[in-house]
Short mmCIF file of all heavy atoms in Angstrom, two decimals:
data_model
loop_
_atom_site.label_atom_id
_atom_site.label_comp_id
_atom_site.label_asym_id
_atom_site.label_seq_id
_atom_site.Cartn_x
_atom_site.Cartn_y
_atom_site.Cartn_z
N LEU A 337 -1.24 22.46 11.49
CA LEU A 337 -2.42 22.03 10.75
C LEU A 337 -3.59 22.94 11.04
O LEU A 337 -4.39 23.26 10.14
CB LEU A 337 -2.76 20.58 11.12
CG LEU A 337 -3.62 19.78 10.13
CD1 LEU A 337 -3.10 19.90 8.70
CD2 LEU A 337 -3.67 18.32 10.55
N TYR A 338 -3.71 23.39 12.28
CA TYR A 338 -4.77 24.33 12.65
C TYR A 338 -4.62 25.66 11.89
O TYR A 338 -5.58 26.17 11.31
CB TYR A 338 -4.74 24.58 14.16
CG TYR A 338 -5.67 25.68 14.61
CD1 TYR A 338 -7.06 25.53 14.55
CD2 TYR A 338 -5.15 26.88 15.11
CE1 TYR A 338 -7.90 26.55 14.97
CE2 TYR A 338 -5.99 27.90 15.53
CZ TYR A 338 -7.37 27.73 15.45
OH TYR A 338 -8.20 28.74 15.85
N LYS A 339 -3.41 26.21 11.89
CA LYS A 339 -3.17 27.48 11.19
C LYS A 339 -3.41 27.34 9.69
O LYS A 339 -3.96 28.23 9.04
CB LYS A 339 -1.74 27.96 11.47
CG LYS A 339 -1.51 28.40 12.91
CD LYS A 339 -0.15 29.01 13.13
CE LYS A 339 0.95 28.00 13.13
NZ LYS A 339 2.26 28.57 13.54
N THR A 340 -2.98 26.20 9.14
CA THR A 340 -3.21 25.94 7.72
C THR A 340 -4.70 25.89 7.41
O THR A 340 -5.16 26.43 6.40
CB THR A 340 -2.56 24.59 7.32
OG1 THR A 340 -1.15 24.68 7.55
CG2 THR A 340 -2.82 24.28 5.85
N ASN A 341 -5.47 25.26 8.29
CA ASN A 341 -6.92 25.18 8.11
C ASN A 341 -7.57 26.55 8.20
O ASN A 341 -8.48 26.86 7.41
CB ASN A 341 -7.54 24.23 9.13
CG ASN A 341 -7.55 22.80 8.67
OD1 ASN A 341 -8.52 22.31 8.10
ND2 ASN A 341 -6.44 22.10 8.88
N VAL A 342 -7.15 27.35 9.14
CA VAL A 342 -7.72 28.70 9.28
C VAL A 342 -7.49 29.49 7.99
O VAL A 342 -8.41 30.11 7.45
CB VAL A 342 -7.10 29.44 10.48
CG1 VAL A 342 -7.50 30.91 10.48
CG2 VAL A 342 -7.52 28.78 11.79
N ALA A 343 -6.25 29.47 7.51
CA ALA A 343 -5.92 30.21 6.28
C ALA A 343 -6.68 29.64 5.08
O ALA A 343 -7.16 30.38 4.21
CB ALA A 343 -4.42 30.14 6.02
N SER A 344 -6.82 28.31 5.02
CA SER A 344 -7.50 27.69 3.88
C SER A 344 -8.99 28.00 3.89
O SER A 344 -9.61 28.17 2.83
CB SER A 344 -7.26 26.18 3.88
OG SER A 344 -7.91 25.56 4.97
N ILE A 345 -9.60 28.08 5.06
CA ILE A 345 -11.03 28.40 5.15
C ILE A 345 -11.30 29.84 4.71
O ILE A 345 -12.25 30.11 3.97
CB ILE A 345 -11.55 28.17 6.59
CG1 ILE A 345 -11.62 26.67 6.88
CG2 ILE A 345 -12.92 28.81 6.79
CD1 ILE A 345 -11.87 26.34 8.34
N ILE A 346 -10.43 30.76 5.12
CA ILE A 346 -10.58 32.15 4.69
C ILE A 346 -10.41 32.23 3.17
O ILE A 346 -11.17 32.93 2.48
CB ILE A 346 -9.55 33.06 5.40
CG1 ILE A 346 -9.81 33.08 6.91
CG2 ILE A 346 -9.61 34.48 4.83
CD1 ILE A 346 -8.74 33.80 7.71
N THR A 347 -9.42 31.51 2.65
CA THR A 347 -9.20 31.46 1.20
C THR A 347 -10.43 30.91 0.49
O THR A 347 -10.88 31.45 -0.53
CB THR A 347 -7.98 30.57 0.89
OG1 THR A 347 -6.82 31.14 1.47
CG2 THR A 347 -7.78 30.44 -0.62
N PHE A 348 -10.98 29.83 1.04
CA PHE A 348 -12.18 29.22 0.46
C PHE A 348 -13.34 30.20 0.41
O PHE A 348 -14.03 30.32 -0.62
CB PHE A 348 -12.58 27.99 1.29
CG PHE A 348 -13.95 27.47 0.99
CD1 PHE A 348 -14.18 26.66 -0.11
CD2 PHE A 348 -15.03 27.81 1.81
CE1 PHE A 348 -15.46 26.19 -0.40
CE2 PHE A 348 -16.31 27.35 1.53
CZ PHE A 348 -16.52 26.54 0.43
N ILE A 349 -13.58 30.92 1.50
CA ILE A 349 -14.71 31.86 1.56
C ILE A 349 -14.56 32.97 0.53
O ILE A 349 -15.49 33.29 -0.21
CB ILE A 349 -14.84 32.44 2.98
CG1 ILE A 349 -15.26 31.35 3.97
CG2 ILE A 349 -15.85 33.59 3.01
CD1 ILE A 349 -15.21 31.76 5.42
N ILE A 350 -13.36 33.55 0.46
CA ILE A 350 -13.13 34.65 -0.48
C ILE A 350 -13.29 34.17 -1.92
O ILE A 350 -14.02 34.78 -2.72
CB ILE A 350 -11.72 35.25 -0.29
CG1 ILE A 350 -11.62 35.94 1.08
CG2 ILE A 350 -11.40 36.25 -1.40
CD1 ILE A 350 -10.21 36.37 1.44
N ALA A 351 -12.63 33.07 -2.25
CA ALA A 351 -12.68 32.56 -3.63
C ALA A 351 -14.08 32.11 -4.01
O ALA A 351 -14.52 32.31 -5.15
CB ALA A 351 -11.68 31.42 -3.80
N SER A 352 -14.80 31.51 -3.08
CA SER A 352 -16.14 31.00 -3.39
C SER A 352 -17.17 32.11 -3.55
O SER A 352 -18.11 31.98 -4.32
CB SER A 352 -16.61 30.03 -2.29
OG SER A 352 -15.83 28.86 -2.29
N MET A 353 -16.98 33.19 -2.83
CA MET A 353 -17.94 34.29 -2.89
C MET A 353 -17.83 35.08 -4.19
O MET A 353 -18.85 35.44 -4.80
CB MET A 353 -17.75 35.23 -1.70
CG MET A 353 -18.29 34.70 -0.39
SD MET A 353 -18.04 35.85 0.97
CE MET A 353 -19.06 37.23 0.45
N VAL A 354 -16.61 35.35 -4.62
CA VAL A 354 -16.43 36.27 -5.76
C VAL A 354 -15.84 35.60 -6.99
O VAL A 354 -15.66 36.26 -8.02
CB VAL A 354 -15.55 37.48 -5.35
CG1 VAL A 354 -16.20 38.26 -4.22
CG2 VAL A 354 -14.15 37.01 -4.92
N SER A 355 -15.53 34.32 -6.88
CA SER A 355 -14.92 33.65 -8.03
C SER A 355 -15.31 32.18 -7.98
O SER A 355 -16.43 31.85 -7.63
CB SER A 355 -13.40 33.82 -7.98
OG SER A 355 -12.80 33.30 -9.14
#
Side-chain angles (χ1 to χ4, degrees):
L337 201 48
Y338 171 68
K339 291 186 286 188
T340 299
N341 273 266
V342 170
S344 68
I345 288 170
I346 296 172
T347 298
F348 167 81
I349 293 171
I350 294 171
S352 293
M353 285 180 64
V354 299
S355 186

